[in-house]
Amino acid sequence: MPNRIVVLTGAGLSAESGLGTFRDKNGIWTRHRIEDVATPEAFARDPDRVHAFYNERRAQAAGARPNPAHEALARLQERHPGAVTIVTQNVDALHERAGATALHMHGELARSTCAACGHRWTAPETMHPRDPCPACAAQATRPDVVWFGEMPHHMDEIERHLLSCDLFAAIGTSGNVYPAAGFVQEAARAGARTVEINLEPTDVSGLFDDHLAGPASKVVPEWVESVLDAG
Ligand code: OAD
């Protein structure tokens, strides 16, 4: 019976909640260039454009509801007798709306941060670069998301969980973005069994012991039941 479980989630988990993925056909990165909207350099060059991109994503995410895969992971966290750590690359709040807690390694759309002093607060629906920071009044407000070239959040805590897990699952992520794409190898080195749950094979499928193919809303609840039954 696995005791310590780490689940890594990606955009595919929220696809059936109506939120777009990044690299699929019609994905977000087919319509926007990363270097225009998701780097510190883009923000320095054209903060209004970057805010417009995240304001639109925040509005979409605000109307989205968790799907059966988010709900199943919340059930796993509640009912599994050992530790279940959910690490998400997603910036939506669907894990939390389903009743789970998750480490948001790429930040959260629902949070703002001040580029001058690092203060964090709940984001308004629409954010502007000239919004003053409530702590230091600098006009340096940015979404509290991680851009390419920046350090993901919670890395020390995530590494600790990976080093002691005995089951690692990656759900709905293409394995294109590091460090998340390398978590499977860290978990395997720590002795964990590893499973990839995805619509289709990915560039990193060869690194996993097991594969479950299909839409997350169907496959994740089945997988969660099997893990809970094994316990
Ligand atoms: P991607 O868009 O790269 O990958 C989504 C994965 O989900 C693909 O492998 C799809 O096959 C799979 N998928 C799609 N629909 C699915 C469904 N219904 N059920 C199961 N799987 C499904 O998204 P991520 O891997 O999450 O970072 O992307 C990682 C990071 O790249 C994001 O956090 C973001 C992006 O650039 C930043 O912006 C920093």
Side-chain angles (χ1 to χ4, degrees):
M1 185 205 43
N3 182 26
R4 291 170 180 273
I5 302 173
V6 174
V7 180
L8 170 69
T9 65
L13 185 78
S14 296
E16 291 164 85
S17 294
L19 300 179
T21 58
F22 294 94
R23 296 175 181 79
D24 295 300
K25 193 166 154 276
N26 302 322
I28 293 170
W29 295 152
T30 66
R31 286 175 280 116
H32 298 270
R33 293 184 340 143
I34 288 175
E35 51 273 45
D36 288 338
V37 294
T39 65
E41 293 76 18
F43 188 64
R45 204 166 48 238
D46 192 346
D48 289 299
R49 180 177 189 168
V50 173
H51 274 296
F53 173 73
Y54 285 98
N55 285 340
E56 188 188 325
R57 293 186 59 202
R58 188 176 305 104
Q60 283 164 357
R65 295 167 56 89
N67 68 53
H70 298 99
E71 286 159 4
L73 292 176
R75 233 167 19 249
L76 181 67
Q77 214 171 38
E78 186 192 332
R79 299 198 191 151
H80 179 65
V84 177
T85 305
I86 299 173
V87 178
T88 189
Q89 299 164 91
N90 298 343
V91 290
D92 63 53
L94 295 180
H95 281 301
E96 289 78 6
R97 280 188 208 145
T101 56
L103 294 169
H104 282 266
M105 63 180 293
H106 290 171
E108 297 174 72
L109 284 171
R111 308 280 294 163
S112 304
T113 186
C114 173
C117 76
H119 181 65
R120 291 188 156 93
W121 66 100
T122 302
E125 275 176 33
T126 305
M127 213 186 281
H128 302 280
R130 286 161 296 281
D131 291 342
C133 167
C136 76
Q139 292 183 321
T141 293
R142 57 167 279 182
D144 192 8
V145 298
V146 174
W147 287 323
F148 286 87
E150 294 183 322
M151 183 64 92
H153 298 170
H154 309 296
M155 283 310 297
D156 289 348
E157 193 177 348
I158 293 168
E159 299 287 343
R160 272 202 310 279
H161 289 297
L162 288 170
L163 283 174
S164 66
C165 74
D166 29 54
L167 176 61
F168 172 80
I171 304 174
T173 177
S174 62
N176 270 281
V177 177
Y178 285 80
F183 289 173
V184 56
Q185 287 163 303
E186 291 182 59
R189 270 199 298 274
R193 184 102 196 149
T194 58
V195 56
E196 180 179 60
I197 301 178
N198 202 299
L199 271 185
E200 55 194 16
T202 68
D203 290 350
V204 293
S205 289
L207 301 173
F208 289 83
D209 298 314
D210 303 313
H211 302 89
L212 298 172
S217 66
K218 176 171 181 289
V219 180
V220 174
E222 291 168 0
W223 173 73
V224 164
E225 286 321 304
S226 74
V227 173
L228 289 174
D229 284 350

